[in-house]
Amino acid sequence: TAADSLGDLRRALNAADAAANKARSTGASLLLADALMIRSHMLQGLGNLAESADAVAQAERTFQAVGDKGELARAEAQSAHLVDLRGDFPTAKRTYEKSLASFQEIGDQQGVAIQTNNIGVELQSLGDLNGAKKRFSDALAASTAIRDQWGEAIARANLGEILFDLGDLSAAHEMYDKSIALCDSIGNRDLAAYDLSGLAQVLQAEGDPRHAWENEKKAMSTFSEIGQVHTDVDIASARLLLEMGRIDEAAAQARKAVETLSRAGMTNDLSDAEAALAEAVLMQGNLPEARRVSEQARANLGNRSTFESKLNTEIAVGRVLGASKNFSERMEAGKQLSRVINDAQKSGDRKSVG
């Protein structure tokens, strides 16, 4: 259960703190740094990002001082991940690039592949889809060269998403198919479920709604079986149901995601769920609620929101304004959607332009 998991994290944190105290008392610098890394990961799991960042920063300084380049590269990667979780994508990208350089220096090809992929994720969050595609392609080549099937599956999944956004449906379909096959081979059910949800979007765009919904249901069922909650899949399924004309089901699915994210305080993802809900209730004919929810989605946008979340939210706001009886609001809707199209075209996001 969730309570058991939290208990395990706290026990591991206490053990790491005890090890750190013992290392301090004996002057064992490397053991101290190792304990600090464990402390950072446990604090991250408990949601304490500030103390987690402080622990990894201390570990970095120690690894730097003793010249352990391998552990320094891993500490830099953990530091970048924490920055990403705070939503500072430009700084996360720069920190991952620093870690990449460290892995390249020591010749750790798996580390190179992982950090290259992570840089692609940051570029995607910043709206540089072509830059992200290049990094994911490089990560795929690096993972394939060292026969890292796990890394290859991740790179193919990320490429599938980017290729879909760029409008290359056949290539996206192929990438997802190959990632799913790899996931089945290595037992990565979590990533396989993500792939199924991504493939569902591709199938819908290819004009195959029946198989699209079959894949989406399988994705949601898999997450349920492994005891995980993934609101981004709930949001994707809500949007798929909207496209299929199953409006009431879409509204229920989007509302579920909004409630889950609200309880968790995850405002950086909440705007995307609210944008999907706004579009659903608008199609149900409830303009006042659609207006309220779309305005709330825009209010929840911030520096931690991805480029795609911002586009989705502004599209929802534009559509709600376009449904107004007020002429000036309908005019503003036209301007709003024109801005969205312009931003999407600059990023190469053909899906949002459509």
Side-chain angles (χ1 to χ4, degrees), residues 195-314:
D195 285 340
L196 287 165
S197 182
L199 181 57
Q201 296 181 63
V202 176
L203 287 164
Q204 177 67 18
E206 289 178 332
D208 189 355
R210 183 173 69 83
H211 286 108
W213 186 239
E214 286 177 2
N215 277 270
E216 194 66 43
K217 285 194 297 183
K218 190 174 179 181
M220 290 187 288
S221 174
T222 300
F223 280 131
S224 178
E225 288 170 9
I226 62 180
Q228 293 190 19
V229 176
H230 285 279
T231 51
D232 44 357
V233 172
D234 288 334
I235 297 167
S237 65
R239 293 194 176 280
L240 181 59
L241 286 164
L242 271 179
E243 291 183 24
M244 296 171 67
R246 296 163 62 173
I247 310 305
D248 292 344
E249 293 173 81
Q253 195 72 13
R255 205 177 297 277
K256 174 186 171 185
V258 168
E259 290 170 356
T260 301
L261 290 164
S262 296
R263 284 196 301 271
M266 298 172 66
T267 56
N268 50 320
D269 295 322
L270 183 55
S271 59
D272 210 7
E274 288 171 329
L277 178 58
E279 294 200 41
V281 296
L282 177 64
M283 293 178 74
Q284 286 178 319
N286 191 341
L287 180 58
E289 185 182 4
R291 183 188 295 274
R292 179 187 63 78
V293 176
S294 66
E295 289 174 353
Q296 186 61 49
R298 179 181 266 177
N300 280 323
L301 285 175
N303 292 333
R304 294 194 301 170
S305 301
T306 64
F307 178 79
E308 184 172 7
S309 290
K310 292 175 182 177
L311 280 184
N312 288 336
T313 298
E314 296 304 332

Side-chain angles (χ1 to χ4, degrees), residues 18 62 64 74 100 102 109 113 174 186 197 203 213 244 308 345:
T62 302
Q64 181 79 54
R74 292 172 181 82
L100 172 62
S102 296
Q109 295 307 310
E174 181 182 356
I186 61 180
S197 182
L203 287 164
W213 186 239
M244 296 171 67
E308 184 172 7
Q345 286 175 332

Side-chain angles (χ1 to χ4, degrees), residues 50-326:
E51 288 191 38
S52 177
D54 181 63
V56 75
Q58 292 180 56
E60 275 190 72
R61 288 193 291 271
T62 302
F63 290 134
Q64 181 79 54
V66 300
D68 191 329
K69 294 181 179 179
E71 290 305 317
L72 175 61
R74 292 172 181 82
E76 289 167 342
Q78 168 66 358
S79 179
H81 180 55
L82 292 170
V83 176
D84 171 82
L85 291 176
R86 295 200 303 270
D88 186 352
F89 305 127
T91 302
K93 173 179 169 290
R94 289 194 296 272
T95 311
Y96 275 130
E97 287 170 341
K98 183 179 177 184
S99 177
L100 172 62
S102 296
F103 278 116
Q104 288 172 328
E105 184 180 353
I106 62 175
D108 185 331
Q109 295 307 310
Q110 185 175 46
V112 168
I114 292 170
Q115 302 321 313
T116 300
N117 183 80
N118 287 335
I119 292 167
V121 172
E122 301 308 320
L123 288 167
Q124 182 179 7
S125 295
L126 291 166
D128 183 357
L129 301 189
N130 286 303
K133 178 185 174 184
K134 172 66 167 61
R135 289 292 187 168
F136 292 146
S137 296
D138 290 345
L140 174 58
S143 296
T144 304
I146 59 173
R147 299 182 180 179
D148 178 4
Q149 290 185 309
W150 200 280
E152 181 184 346
I154 292 171
R156 288 191 181 281
N158 287 333
L159 272 169
E161 185 175 349
I162 286 293
L163 289 164
F164 173 65
D165 287 343
L166 291 170
D168 192 343
L169 299 183
S170 61
H173 196 144
E174 181 182 356
M175 281 295 169
Y176 278 129
D177 278 344
K178 289 183 177 179
S179 182
I180 291 168
L182 281 166
C183 287
D184 290 343
S185 173
I186 61 180
N188 189 339
R189 297 187 72 199
D190 189 325
L191 181 58
Y194 271 116
D195 285 340
L196 287 165
S197 182
L199 181 57
Q201 296 181 63
V202 176
L203 287 164
Q204 177 67 18
E206 289 178 332
D208 189 355
R210 183 173 69 83
H211 286 108
W213 186 239
E214 286 177 2
N215 277 270
E216 194 66 43
K217 285 194 297 183
K218 190 174 179 181
M220 290 187 288
S221 174
T222 300
F223 280 131
S224 178
E225 288 170 9
I226 62 180
Q228 293 190 19
V229 176
H230 285 279
T231 51
D232 44 357
V233 172
D234 288 334
I235 297 167
S237 65
R239 293 194 176 280
L240 181 59
L241 286 164
L242 271 179
E243 291 183 24
M244 296 171 67
R246 296 163 62 173
I247 310 305
D248 292 344
E249 293 173 81
Q253 195 72 13
R255 205 177 297 277
K256 174 186 171 185
V258 168
E259 290 170 356
T260 301
L261 290 164
S262 296
R263 284 196 301 271
M266 298 172 66
T267 56
N268 50 320
D269 295 322
L270 183 55
S271 59
D272 210 7
E274 288 171 329
L277 178 58
E279 294 200 41
V281 296
L282 177 64
M283 293 178 74
Q284 286 178 319
N286 191 341
L287 180 58
E289 185 182 4
R291 183 188 295 274
R292 179 187 63 78
V293 176
S294 66
E295 289 174 353
Q296 186 61 49
R298 179 181 266 177
N300 280 323
L301 285 175
N303 292 333
R304 294 194 301 170
S305 301
T306 64
F307 178 79
E308 184 172 7
S309 290
K310 292 175 182 177
L311 280 184
N312 288 336
T313 298
E314 296 304 332
I315 288 170
V317 170
R319 285 176 174 164
V320 170
L321 287 172
S324 172
K325 293 181 180 179
N326 185 298

